[in-house]
């Protein structure tokens, strides 16, 4: 009876060929996996950067809101002080001779008070406009993050 065993050299060559075919077949999948992993890492880094930028914008918006509140409190305080000063000054000056000169002085003080109130109002408006810009930037970052998350989810 003859033996039908495959010679070892042929079996070894066949084994090497099968291994090479398997490696060659898996190479595109490994390359695609490496590329997908690199893209995912890049997206994660971009998302981290956007998250940090969003956090900065939120912190800036919170600071602007605090600044606006402080400016409003200062404006109320300045108005109270100015009103009290004007009332006190008016009472004192009405008791003194030369009411015409006193009235001119009161008018000048009132104009300065109005100018100061306008300046404080302008500062408040500028702070509010900065807050609107910060909120808009925050909303834009949030929209970009949502878009990135949707792209990553695909």
């Amino acid at each position: 009876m003859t033996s039908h065993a495959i010679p070892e050299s042929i079996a070894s060559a066949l084994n090497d060929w099968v291994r090479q075919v398997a490696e060659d077949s898996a190479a595109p999948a490994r390359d695609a996996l490496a590329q997908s992993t690199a893209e995912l890492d890049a997206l994660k880094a971009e998302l981290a950067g956007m998250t940090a930028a969003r956090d900065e914008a939120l912190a800036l918006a919170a600071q602007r809101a605090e600044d606006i509140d402080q400016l409003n409190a200062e404006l109320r305080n300045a108005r109270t002080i100015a009103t009290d000063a004007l009332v006190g000054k008016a009472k004192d000056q009405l008791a003194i001779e030369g009411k015409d000169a006193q009235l001119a002085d009161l008018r000048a003080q009132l104009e300065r008070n109005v100018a100061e109130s306008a300046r404080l109002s302008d500062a408040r408006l500028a702070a509010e406009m900065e807050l609107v810009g910060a909120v808009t930037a925050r909303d834009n970052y949030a929209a970009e993050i949502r878009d990135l998350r949707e792209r990553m989810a695909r």
Side-chain angles (χ1 to χ4, degrees):
M1 180 179 244
T2 56
S3 173
H4 294 302
I6 298 174
E8 187 175 322
S9 62
I10 292 175
S12 175
L14 185 58
N15 190 25
D16 290 345
W17 178 79
V18 168
R19 185 178 307 118
Q20 186 62 44
V21 168
E23 286 180 18
D24 291 347
S25 297
R30 280 194 305 273
D31 292 345
L33 178 61
Q35 183 179 0
S36 294
T37 301
E39 288 176 4
L40 182 58
D41 290 345
L43 285 173
K44 284 179 181 178
E46 187 176 346
L47 178 59
M50 288 184 162
T51 300
R54 181 209 59 203
D55 291 345
E56 280 184 36
L58 289 174
L60 180 61
Q63 181 60 45
R64 292 295 186 248
E66 287 179 22
D67 292 346
I68 288 170
D69 289 344
Q70 182 179 354
L71 287 172
N72 283 332
E74 290 174 9
L75 180 60
R76 283 191 300 274
N77 189 38
R79 284 180 181 159
T80 300
I81 291 170
T83 301
D84 291 348
L86 285 175
V87 168
K89 185 80 170 174
K91 286 180 181 177
D92 291 345
Q93 288 183 346
L94 288 175
I96 300 172
E97 296 291 324
K99 290 180 178 48
D100 290 341
Q102 295 166 10
L103 288 173
D105 188 39
L106 283 174
R107 282 189 187 109
Q109 288 179 16
L110 183 57
E111 287 173 6
R112 285 192 299 272
N113 186 41
V114 167
E116 179 63 17
S117 292
R119 186 190 67 75
L120 290 173
S121 180
D122 289 347
R124 177 177 177 229
L125 179 60
E128 287 174 350
M129 291 179 77
E130 283 185 34
L131 177 61
V132 167
V135 168
T136 300
R138 178 201 64 199
D139 292 344
N140 288 342
Y141 286 127
E144 289 178 21
I145 288 170
R146 279 195 305 277
D147 289 345
L148 281 173
R149 286 184 178 149
E150 287 174 8
R151 286 195 308 193
M152 287 176 57
R154 292 185 203 151

